[in-house]
Amino acid sequence: MNGKMNIPQHIAIIMDGNGRWARQRGKERSEGHIAGMNSLRETVRNAAQAGVKYLTVYAFSTENWGRPQAEVDALMELICKGVESESAELAKVGIKVKTIGDRSRFSEKVQASLEKIESLTAAGEQMTFVLALNYSSRSEIVTAVQRLAQRVAAGEIKAEEIDEKMISDSLYTSFMPDPDLIIRTSGECRLSNFLMWQASYAEFYFTPTLWPDFDKAELEKALEAYAARDRRYGLVKK
Ligand code: FPP
């Protein structure tokens, strides 16, 4: 990688294609998720090494509850196992873990796991790694609108005072900047209810590579594509 390359401060990834990766190999879908987890572990390290400050991944959407129970269970198991095996090393290398989404629907065991990894890694300053769990952009916006409406009803703010910043500050993502680069693997070219408000000025990178095959070289390709983009934010180039 070119040392002087313009590195995105925040990358968000829609990790897609675990199921197809498994099917191509005659394996169970859950094995695809295990391979996806390995790919995620490497990507977290590779992104931190490249100088990325925030990495957000779509790990479980509100729609994913509709998958077969065995697959949902396997994903929950992976979250708990991931916490067990990764917490200490993430803390050591300075990676702070956070989540976005409604955690209340997860089992107590999963919720306890998430609290554990957040507290163990809270001091990390190298990179913030954000897991979107039981997340959907529309439900995030609905929750934010309800909160602001309650504040108006309570007389704390006036309706006409609501601005973009107030909305951003009411979203799950209020603690981080908007994503600069959104990556989606497996050839699908859609946002699927992920960070819709936050994606306003993001660059998009779509690759046919399935998530379990997304390795360091693939991340480098995405970073190179990003560095070559011309971000104008609706302005004229100087
Ligand atoms: C998409 O592949 C992937 C997911 C829905 C889950 C992402 C999960 C991981 C990468 C590993 C587990 C990590 C955590 C933290 C839970 P897909 O199943 O939609 O693949 P397909 O489109 O080929 O069927």
Side-chain angles (χ1 to χ4, degrees):
M1 238 181 297
N2 179 343
K4 286 203 202 82
M5 210 164 74
N6 179 21
I7 297 291
Q9 189 184 13
H10 182 180
I11 299 182
I13 308 183
I14 303 174
M15 309 179 289
D16 201 1
N18 295 348
R20 276 161 283 170
W21 183 93
R23 196 175 59 227
Q24 285 171 4
R25 287 162 180 75
K27 296 175 188 247
E28 296 287 331
R29 291 181 58 83
S30 57
E31 292 186 66
H33 295 314
I34 292 170
M37 187 64 136
N38 291 331
S39 193
L40 177 57
R41 183 187 299 115
E42 294 308 309
T43 300
V44 169
R45 278 142 189 80
N46 293 332
Q49 270 168 20
V52 172
K53 286 298 177 192
Y54 296 87
L55 176 70
T56 303
V57 298
Y58 209 178
F60 194 89
S61 74
T62 52
E63 289 80 16
N64 287 156
W65 294 110
R67 293 192 174 198
Q69 192 57 43
E71 185 174 346
V72 172
D73 291 346
L75 284 166
M76 296 302 130
E77 183 74 25
L78 266 183
I79 296 173
C80 295
K81 279 200 178 143
V83 167
E84 279 312 314
S85 62
E86 304 300 316
S87 292
E89 208 209 316
L90 290 173
K92 200 169 107 196
V93 297
I95 294 175
K96 178 184 349 206
V97 178
K98 290 185 72 79
T99 72
I100 54 172
D102 176 10
R103 267 155 58 163
S104 67
R105 192 167 164 187
F106 291 107
S107 71
E108 277 177 26
K109 185 178 169 217
V110 171
Q111 291 191 44
S113 262
L114 296 170
E115 277 158 30
K116 183 174 164 191
I117 198 164
E118 280 187 339
S119 65
L120 284 172
T121 62
E125 288 186 349
Q126 172 71 29
M127 184 179 83
T128 302
F129 170 45
V130 183
L131 287 161
L133 290 168
N134 193 25
Y135 175 88
S136 91
S137 202
R138 286 187 175 182
S139 69
E140 174 184 43
I141 292 169
V142 167
T143 307
V145 169
Q146 287 173 349
R147 270 196 224 139
L148 290 170
Q150 281 158 1
R151 291 179 62 196
V152 172
E156 286 170 27
I157 53 169
K158 294 200 183 85
E160 57 272 25
E161 283 170 4
I162 295 174
D163 59 7
E164 292 187 9
K165 180 167 186 310
M166 230 183 260
I167 294 177
S168 290
D169 288 346
S170 306
L171 300 174
Y172 290 124
T173 50
S174 59
F175 61 90
M176 61 178 166
D178 288 342
D180 302 293
L181 172 65
I182 296 181
I183 297 173
R184 183 166 188 155
T185 57
S186 90
E188 312 293 353
C189 301
R190 54 179 174 262
L191 202 46
S192 302
N193 221 343
F194 187 51
L195 303 178
M196 293 189 305
W197 171 274
Q198 299 87 338
S200 295
Y201 289 101
E203 295 292 330
F204 287 82
Y205 179 82
F206 298 108
T207 170
T209 302
L210 303 176
W211 176 249
D213 294 325
F214 191 90
D215 58 10
K216 188 170 186 183
E218 294 287 337
L219 179 66
E220 282 174 5
K221 269 199 269 175
L223 290 174
E224 273 160 22
Y226 174 82
R229 302 275 175 94
D230 177 21
R231 298 182 82 193
R232 292 191 298 278
Y233 302 94
L235 304 174
V236 175
K237 196 175 180 184
K238 286 205 187 85

